[in-house]
Amino acid sequence: MARPEQALLLEPQHELKFRVAILSSFFTGPFSDVVTTNLKLSNPTDRNVCFKVKTTAPRRYCVRPNSGIIDAGTSINVSVMLQPFDYDPNEKSKHKFMVQSMLAPPDMTDMEGVWKEAKPEDLMDSKLRCVFEMPVENEKTHDMESNKMMSSSLLKSESSSLQTKSMSSTLDDGEVKKIMEECKRLQMEAQRLREENKQIREDDGLRMRKSNMMSSQHSPVSMKKEEGLSARTVALIMLFFVVGVIVGKLVL
């Protein structure tokens, strides 16, 4: 006997996509962080529906909630979290999910008991396969966004440079005249300082020449005085020598 058609509406209907973040894949490899996708279950019937979410790789996923009751006319969001693992391309075909459901009895008190006592013809199921979107696809999108950001920054820099040029070109004649006068005043001040420095050097040279001339005029006089003193000293010595000879002869 064929199973009844699924009473719940699934969104998405056939695939659960797990998209890897570009930064995580670039630094530490794919699926190094938890990747979450959402599964929406809606109950369009007029009865409450029990559901269970099962997977062929229970160690790879964390499902919250993985079972429960959906009231008539309401919906619920199921978070499917892929846990970090070493990705194997050959393993992706083994990851599948199944949403199993059945109409809840009116007087249900124990949901686990109802599942155990359920007949195969009462169960409804829908299967979904897992799709892993690898970093290569995300890198293209990331590169496009980076190019857009770079182009926008270049446009901003060009516009700012154009604004600067336009601001500089808007200087009026009065400001230009003030700047020219200030430059001329500074040039005149520099010329005056150069002339003062030159005059100081000339005055210092003149004083040095005068002092040299005065020292050269005094030197011959002192030499003559020294020569006169030395001659007198020799004469006195000779005089004392002669006197001493004469005195010595008289004593003898």
Side-chain angles (χ1 to χ4, degrees), residues 4-207:
E5 186 178 355
Q6 176 66 267
L8 299 177
L9 298 178
L10 279 64
E11 185 180 348
Q13 296 181 353
H14 306 292
E15 294 180 346
L16 288 177
K17 294 182 179 181
F18 297 90
R19 183 176 290 106
V20 182
I22 182 65
L23 292 177
S24 172
S25 63
F26 183 81
F27 288 108
T28 57
F31 302 107
S32 60
D33 296 324
V34 176
V35 182
T36 304
T37 189
N38 293 319
L39 173 64
K40 184 178 181 181
L41 303 178
S42 301
N43 180 10
T45 67
D46 56 357
R47 293 183 57 182
N48 296 343
V49 176
C50 301
F51 76 93
K52 278 186 176 183
V53 181
K54 300 180 178 181
T55 178
T56 57
R59 295 183 179 181
R60 296 279 187 252
Y61 299 90
C62 180
V63 182
R64 293 290 183 272
N66 59 359
S67 63
I69 300 175
I70 304 176
D71 295 335
T74 63
S75 61
I76 189 172
N77 286 321
V78 177
S79 296
V80 183
M81 292 164 279
L82 175 62
Q83 303 302 302
F85 73 104
D86 294 330
Y87 176 70
D88 183 3
N90 298 323
E91 188 182 356
K92 65 180 181 179
S93 60
K94 300 178 182 179
H95 293 204
K96 293 182 176 63
F97 276 83
M98 181 177 69
V99 177
Q100 198 172 50
S101 64
M102 67 176 176
L103 297 175
D107 55 350
M108 185 185 68
T109 57
D110 182 13
M111 188 173 63
E112 290 297 328
V114 171
W115 281 109
K116 290 179 181 180
E117 297 174 0
K119 299 178 180 180
E121 58 269 18
D122 295 334
L123 301 178
M124 300 168 282
D125 58 62
S126 298
K127 295 180 180 179
L128 300 94
R129 67 187 187 94
C130 297
V131 176
F132 302 136
E133 295 186 352
M134 299 304 295
V136 176
E137 299 178 3
N138 288 338
E139 283 176 358
K140 295 179 180 178
T141 306
H142 180 70
D143 291 340
M144 292 176 65
E145 293 177 355
S146 299
N147 292 332
K148 289 181 181 179
M149 292 175 64
M150 289 177 65
S151 60
S152 62
S153 63
L154 287 173
L155 289 174
K156 289 180 180 178
S157 62
E158 289 177 358
S159 62
S160 62
S161 61
L162 289 174
Q163 290 178 357
T164 304
K165 290 180 180 178
S166 62
M167 288 176 65
S168 61
S169 62
T170 55
L171 290 174
D172 55 6
D173 295 337
E175 293 179 354
V176 174
K177 187 176 180 181
K178 289 180 180 179
I179 293 172
M180 295 297 293
E181 290 178 353
E182 183 66 19
C183 290
K184 187 180 292 185
R185 187 185 66 79
L186 292 174
Q187 290 176 355
M188 293 175 65
E189 184 69 18
Q191 181 65 25
R192 184 181 65 80
L193 292 174
R194 283 196 295 269
E195 291 178 355
E196 289 181 357
N197 191 20
K198 183 179 179 181
Q199 186 65 34
I200 290 171
R201 287 201 300 269
E202 291 178 354
D203 293 342
D204 290 342
L206 182 59
R207 283 196 296 270

